[in-house]
Amino acid sequence: MISEYRGGELPVGTVTFVLADVEGSTRLWEAHPEAMKSVVGRLNAVIDETVDAHSGVRPVEQGEGDSFVAAFSRASDAVSFAVDFQRRIASEPWPDGIDLAVRIALHSGEPHLRDEGNYMGEVLNRCARLRALAHGGQVLVSGATADLVIDHLPDGAFLKDLGLHRLRDLTRAERVGQLCHPDLTATFPPLRSLDRLPNNLPLQLTTFVGRGDEMIGSARLLAANRMVTLTGAGGAGKTRLAVQLAAERLEDHPDGVWLVDLAPVSDAARVAAVVAGAMGVSEVPSEALADTLVRELRDARVLVVLDNCEHLLDACVGLTERLLRSCPGLTILATSREPLGVEGEASYRVPSLGLPADDGDGSCESVELFVDRAALVRPTFTLTHDNASAVVEICRRLDGIPLAIELAAARCRALAPAQIATQLSDRFGLLAGGRRAALPRQRTLEASVDWSYELLTDDERSVLSRLAVFAGGFSLEAAEVVCSGDSIEAWRVVDLLTSLVDKSLVQVEGDGPATRFRLLETIRHYARAKLIAVDGEAAAARDRHLGFFVALGERARVALVGRDMVAWLSRLDDEIDNLRAAHDWADESGRLEASLELGESLWVFWQRRYFGEWLERMRPALTAGVGDQPLRARALLAAAWMSWNVGDFDSAVPAAEEGSRIAAEVDDGPLLGHALDVLGWQALSLLEERADALLEQAVELLRAAGEHWFLADALWGLAAIAIYRGEHSTACGWAIDALAVSRESGNPMLVARSLMFLVIARANLGQFADAERLALEAIDTAALVQDELPLAVTQAWLGWLALARGDIATGLALCDEALALSRPHNLAFGIAMALWTRARGEYRSSSPGAAVPSLEEAEVYLAAMGQAWALACCKAMAAEVALARGETENAGRLVDEGLALVGSSP
């Protein structure tokens, strides 16, 4: 509907906005085109009458479709209007088939007047975002409005607190209330907020300005195509537009919206790994990561945002084509300086922000952005008659490029707009005279960055250029090491870094316990060029970067196997791109020993999700034979463990044997204990009789050395052997010992895995209550470090316990949960355990043959792992099923096979 401004002065100061629209108006227009014409006319009249009755005004319409906005000087008048209006809508005799459901949002603040009949600014925008959460017939109230009206509500009205919700503008969360009244509908579905659906869209610290046409145009493309690429010059705002568009489309992709930042990735082979990491998909042994992604996404309705693809075009094309062909519910939104060239791709060029029509035009997007960002650095800044022409000139000379405008606005901390405009004019002589729009936008952006760079002090320039060696974000601690040197002492880096943040050359990211920083990609490329231009400076900075992360690895080594594991895993997750960059430089510069040190100290971190990548990165150093003997032995033993996990037995055994030989030569007791633990587990898996002796010797050495991590691991091996032999009391003793060692260490991964073994032993002893209590503790503890193995296996044993007490439905459900945890990570033992347990439940709950498929699949996994004892249990169960079906001969064969397996167990 289009309405005219009805006169009266727009209120100033604190204003309460009411934004409303008719939910499903498009559908109503399509179904009742003629009737809706009269409906809209009557609705318009009801709006005007009700707004006037409550002392409000209607500005020029600023919504889309059948929507309206009203403004009130008093929040209580806005609330009274909302109640009265919903009553009138409900009582109106609308034509048959037309049931109007109006959703309303109320928000209060101090907006800006765009002109005599129009508002602009964040207050109005936020009210619109609040309205987007609502359902037809619902009235939502922001926290700001609720505080104003709580003591002035209409008779019978009250506010229902709906909690904190993230709005689609991706800025701070909003406390939302629902206006309730006996005459209004009270029950609605959950709000349509960002918190409802899975996503990793980041919290934005600045407002999203303008881009109305671009949002509409790109949204239409995304609704009609499965592959859309936003193209444009560096700094044009492609990323911000993509993230905002993704937030708006959350409900179209109920299985997740995932942002993948490719800017810090330099190796094309890492694209699939970065995509998987953003989605929380773990690497699976012996399976290509692209295949893992296809399996995860094949039946999902997901939107993946691939950000900054231009330097990895071939890799992005290969992966996107594979995923799009194999995953029909997948949509990809990419940002790049050029189209990817994928079949079926639709591209949308992101233009610069709208430029002023004349010297007094303060309503265009570029000016609005400048004013918004200038107010961040100078809170008293407003657009006035005196500075408007200078701001307009700045926006014109910067061609409306968002990053350039933000850099210029940051100078308002120290300079007036007229001074900024003068400096731009002097600096950009080539851009004057009206030819500026024809020049490449990248050159315009580079000139803006160059201008900002030249305003820095020498020390600020040095720090900015040295920051270019970081990949992704970085901590203050890391910056102090990398950026110090020459005339810059480490203690001065924080001040210089803060200055660069103030100048918008360095970004502050996240709201975690410690501040992290990052360079925008364009700034990083610019700074890197400056770094390379100074002879020897780039190598020196990368040396310091490598040195910092080698030292960080040494600090993390002990913490990762102790009580601080959770905090360090989180910290290292933040630094994964920097760890990769440090490894890359170590290889490029021939410092393989540093690469060996870095990888060996952090193998516990890498083994969670990146064991395949770890092996690739360590192979050059291991092959070259660098490092002192103890370091090399530790690295070899870690490599043996990693190789075993990816199914590379041919590499695992020699690495373990060489590591063991070195440990014996250097006469290092703890190191030898570690080696014996690895050899013992390998012997156990290969059904070698020496497994007991190796593990018992490892326990003796490690206990004497006060070790915890590998001592617990060796004790688990002994518990596993006892379980295989049916010696469950002995197994219980080993598991209790391991749990005590683990609790002493404080490491949650050790505790969870020790509990897992103890659960199995207790359950086999018939101590069901203890087993269930321990299983629940194991699950809670494993969740702290996202350790899928004890999560899945213990869940399966909870199913076993439920079956043991006759609760078949619960047992089957728990087995399904264990399978859901195991299958995405190809956890063979977890899958087999869940299937075997599920077969027991299926056998009891229906015809005997129902258990056959689960048993057959479990046997495949157990045979591949060489788990003879568990495979024998499956054979016994299969024999029982065969007997129940009258297959006597088949049952006998299965029993013989099971007995043969038991005889081969250690």
Side-chain angles (χ1 to χ4, degrees), residues 93 100 135 219 350 390 393 407 591 593 610 657 661 771 878:
L100 294 189
H135 301 273
V350 179
E393 182 182 356
L407 289 170
R591 299 176 60 184
E593 185 169 352
Y610 313 103
E657 290 177 346
R661 178 184 58 76

PDB file of all heavy atoms in Angstrom, residues 93 100 135 219 350 390 393 407 591 593 610 657 661 771 878:
ATOM      1  N   PRO A  93     -15.196  -6.884   8.809  1.00  0.00           N
ATOM      2  CA  PRO A  93     -15.831  -7.905   7.948  1.00  0.00           C
ATOM      3  C   PRO A  93     -15.127  -8.001   6.598  1.00  0.00           C
ATOM      4  O   PRO A  93     -15.618  -7.526   5.573  1.00  0.00           O
ATOM      5  CB  PRO A  93     -17.257  -7.370   7.801  1.00  0.00           C
ATOM      6  CG  PRO A  93     -17.104  -5.875   7.874  1.00  0.00           C
ATOM      7  CD  PRO A  93     -15.985  -5.629   8.852  1.00  0.00           C
ATOM      8  N   LEU A 100      -6.862 -11.369   7.288  1.00  0.00           N
ATOM      9  CA  LEU A 100      -5.657 -10.570   7.471  1.00  0.00           C
ATOM     10  C   LEU A 100      -5.004 -10.878   8.811  1.00  0.00           C
ATOM     11  O   LEU A 100      -5.665 -10.863   9.855  1.00  0.00           O
ATOM     12  CB  LEU A 100      -5.973  -9.079   7.397  1.00  0.00           C
ATOM     13  CG  LEU A 100      -6.445  -8.533   6.048  1.00  0.00           C
ATOM     14  CD1 LEU A 100      -6.486  -7.026   6.092  1.00  0.00           C
ATOM     15  CD2 LEU A 100      -5.543  -8.994   4.921  1.00  0.00           C
ATOM     16  N   HIS A 135       5.137 -13.370  13.869  1.00  0.00           N
ATOM     17  CA  HIS A 135       4.158 -14.096  13.065  1.00  0.00           C
ATOM     18  C   HIS A 135       2.892 -13.253  12.968  1.00  0.00           C
ATOM     19  O   HIS A 135       2.654 -12.341  13.777  1.00  0.00           O
ATOM     20  CB  HIS A 135       3.840 -15.450  13.699  1.00  0.00           C
ATOM     21  CG  HIS A 135       5.043 -16.325  13.846  1.00  0.00           C
ATOM     22  ND1 HIS A 135       5.488 -17.172  12.857  1.00  0.00           N
ATOM     23  CD2 HIS A 135       5.915 -16.466  14.879  1.00  0.00           C
ATOM     24  CE1 HIS A 135       6.564 -17.810  13.266  1.00  0.00           C
ATOM     25  NE2 HIS A 135       6.850 -17.403  14.487  1.00  0.00           N
ATOM     26  N   ALA A 219      18.857 -11.574  -3.659  1.00  0.00           N
ATOM     27  CA  ALA A 219      17.940 -12.549  -3.057  1.00  0.00           C
ATOM     28  C   ALA A 219      17.106 -13.243  -4.131  1.00  0.00           C
ATOM     29  O   ALA A 219      16.847 -14.450  -4.048  1.00  0.00           O
ATOM     30  CB  ALA A 219      17.037 -11.874  -2.040  1.00  0.00           C
ATOM     31  N   VAL A 350      28.311  -6.520  -7.393  1.00  0.00           N
ATOM     32  CA  VAL A 350      28.035  -5.640  -6.256  1.00  0.00           C
ATOM     33  C   VAL A 350      28.612  -4.263  -6.572  1.00  0.00           C
ATOM     34  O   VAL A 350      29.831  -4.104  -6.644  1.00  0.00           O
ATOM     35  CB  VAL A 350      28.656  -6.191  -4.958  1.00  0.00           C
ATOM     36  CG1 VAL A 350      28.373  -5.249  -3.796  1.00  0.00           C
ATOM     37  CG2 VAL A 350      28.113  -7.580  -4.660  1.00  0.00           C
ATOM     38  N   ALA A 390      31.309  18.875   2.227  1.00  0.00           N
ATOM     39  CA  ALA A 390      32.594  18.176   2.329  1.00  0.00           C
ATOM     40  C   ALA A 390      32.390  16.670   2.371  1.00  0.00           C
ATOM     41  O   ALA A 390      33.133  15.911   1.736  1.00  0.00           O
ATOM     42  CB  ALA A 390      33.350  18.655   3.568  1.00  0.00           C
ATOM     43  N   GLU A 393      31.591  15.490  -1.064  1.00  0.00           N
ATOM     44  CA  GLU A 393      32.787  15.452  -1.888  1.00  0.00           C
ATOM     45  C   GLU A 393      33.636  14.215  -1.583  1.00  0.00           C
ATOM     46  O   GLU A 393      34.157  13.562  -2.492  1.00  0.00           O
ATOM     47  CB  GLU A 393      33.617  16.725  -1.680  1.00  0.00           C
ATOM     48  CG  GLU A 393      34.864  16.765  -2.546  1.00  0.00           C
ATOM     49  CD  GLU A 393      35.709  17.998  -2.302  1.00  0.00           C
ATOM     50  OE1 GLU A 393      35.292  18.865  -1.508  1.00  0.00           O
ATOM     51  OE2 GLU A 393      36.797  18.084  -2.884  1.00  0.00           O
ATOM     52  N   LEU A 407      37.593   4.052   5.806  1.00  0.00           N
ATOM     53  CA  LEU A 407      38.928   4.553   6.139  1.00  0.00           C
ATOM     54  C   LEU A 407      38.916   6.073   6.269  1.00  0.00           C
ATOM     55  O   LEU A 407      39.548   6.633   7.167  1.00  0.00           O
ATOM     56  CB  LEU A 407      39.925   4.123   5.063  1.00  0.00           C
ATOM     57  CG  LEU A 407      40.289   2.637   5.019  1.00  0.00           C
ATOM     58  CD1 LEU A 407      41.081   2.330   3.747  1.00  0.00           C
ATOM     59  CD2 LEU A 407      41.072   2.228   6.247  1.00  0.00           C
ATOM     60  N   ARG A 591      63.835 -24.967   7.172  1.00  0.00           N
ATOM     61  CA  ARG A 591      63.978 -25.164   8.623  1.00  0.00           C
ATOM     62  C   ARG A 591      63.095 -26.334   9.058  1.00  0.00           C
ATOM     63  O   ARG A 591      62.121 -26.179   9.797  1.00  0.00           O
ATOM     64  CB  ARG A 591      63.614 -23.879   9.355  1.00  0.00           C
ATOM     65  CG  ARG A 591      64.537 -22.709   8.970  1.00  0.00           C
ATOM     66  CD  ARG A 591      64.118 -21.415   9.609  1.00  0.00           C
ATOM     67  NE  ARG A 591      64.146 -21.506  11.052  1.00  0.00           N
ATOM     68  CZ  ARG A 591      63.740 -20.521  11.862  1.00  0.00           C
ATOM     69  NH1 ARG A 591      63.295 -19.396  11.350  1.00  0.00           N
ATOM     70  NH2 ARG A 591      63.777 -20.666  13.157  1.00  0.00           N
ATOM     71  N   GLU A 593      63.664 -28.802  11.031  1.00  0.00           N
ATOM     72  CA  GLU A 593      63.646 -29.143  12.449  1.00  0.00           C
ATOM     73  C   GLU A 593      62.588 -28.336  13.192  1.00  0.00           C
ATOM     74  O   GLU A 593      61.916 -28.855  14.089  1.00  0.00           O
ATOM     75  CB  GLU A 593      65.019 -28.900  13.074  1.00  0.00           C
ATOM     76  CG  GLU A 593      65.077 -29.369  14.531  1.00  0.00           C
ATOM     77  CD  GLU A 593      66.482 -29.386  15.100  1.00  0.00           C
ATOM     78  OE1 GLU A 593      67.434 -29.168  14.312  1.00  0.00           O
ATOM     79  OE2 GLU A 593      66.628 -29.630  16.294  1.00  0.00           O
ATOM     80  N   TYR A 610      42.513 -33.292  12.171  1.00  0.00           N
ATOM     81  CA  TYR A 610      43.403 -33.017  11.047  1.00  0.00           C
ATOM     82  C   TYR A 610      44.537 -34.033  10.925  1.00  0.00           C
ATOM     83  O   TYR A 610      45.633 -33.691  10.514  1.00  0.00           O
ATOM     84  CB  TYR A 610      44.020 -31.619  11.214  1.00  0.00           C
ATOM     85  CG  TYR A 610      43.054 -30.522  11.566  1.00  0.00           C
ATOM     86  CD1 TYR A 610      42.979 -30.029  12.874  1.00  0.00           C
ATOM     87  CD2 TYR A 610      42.227 -29.963  10.604  1.00  0.00           C
ATOM     88  CE1 TYR A 610      42.101 -29.007  13.201  1.00  0.00           C
ATOM     89  CE2 TYR A 610      41.349 -28.941  10.919  1.00  0.00           C
ATOM     90  CZ  TYR A 610      41.283 -28.472  12.221  1.00  0.00           C
ATOM     91  OH  TYR A 610      40.418 -27.465  12.535  1.00  0.00           O
ATOM     92  N   GLU A 657      58.429 -48.867  15.297  1.00  0.00           N
ATOM     93  CA  GLU A 657      59.646 -49.623  15.589  1.00  0.00           C
ATOM     94  C   GLU A 657      60.882 -48.735  15.626  1.00  0.00           C
ATOM     95  O   GLU A 657      61.754 -48.887  16.483  1.00  0.00           O
ATOM     96  CB  GLU A 657      59.808 -50.731  14.561  1.00  0.00           C
ATOM     97  CG  GLU A 657      58.756 -51.841  14.721  1.00  0.00           C
ATOM     98  CD  GLU A 657      58.858 -52.908  13.655  1.00  0.00           C
ATOM     99  OE1 GLU A 657      59.555 -52.665  12.645  1.00  0.00           O
ATOM    100  OE2 GLU A 657      58.231 -53.984  13.824  1.00  0.00           O
ATOM    101  N   ARG A 661      63.251 -47.963  18.816  1.00  0.00           N
ATOM    102  CA  ARG A 661      64.710 -48.187  18.793  1.00  0.00           C
ATOM    103  C   ARG A 661      65.458 -46.964  19.309  1.00  0.00           C
ATOM    104  O   ARG A 661      66.379 -47.073  20.132  1.00  0.00           O
ATOM    105  CB  ARG A 661      65.144 -48.489  17.359  1.00  0.00           C
ATOM    106  CG  ARG A 661      66.657 -48.682  17.195  1.00  0.00           C
ATOM    107  CD  ARG A 661      67.031 -48.876  15.742  1.00  0.00           C
ATOM    108  NE  ARG A 661      66.620 -47.772  14.904  1.00  0.00           N
ATOM    109  CZ  ARG A 661      67.234 -46.582  14.862  1.00  0.00           C
ATOM    110  NH1 ARG A 661      68.293 -46.357  15.639  1.00  0.00           N
ATOM    111  NH2 ARG A 661      66.813 -45.639  14.059  1.00  0.00           N
ATOM    112  N   ALA A 771      27.344 -48.999  35.945  1.00  0.00           N
ATOM    113  CA  ALA A 771      27.706 -48.789  34.545  1.00  0.00           C
ATOM    114  C   ALA A 771      26.932 -47.613  33.950  1.00  0.00           C
ATOM    115  O   ALA A 771      27.495 -46.783  33.227  1.00  0.00           O
ATOM    116  CB  ALA A 771      27.438 -50.059  33.744  1.00  0.00           C
ATOM    117  N   ALA A 878      24.505 -64.280  15.831  1.00  0.00           N
ATOM    118  CA  ALA A 878      23.966 -64.724  14.545  1.00  0.00           C
ATOM    119  C   ALA A 878      23.535 -66.192  14.611  1.00  0.00           C
ATOM    120  O   ALA A 878      22.525 -66.590  14.000  1.00  0.00           O
ATOM    121  CB  ALA A 878      25.002 -64.522  13.450  1.00  0.00           C
TER     122      ALA A 878
END
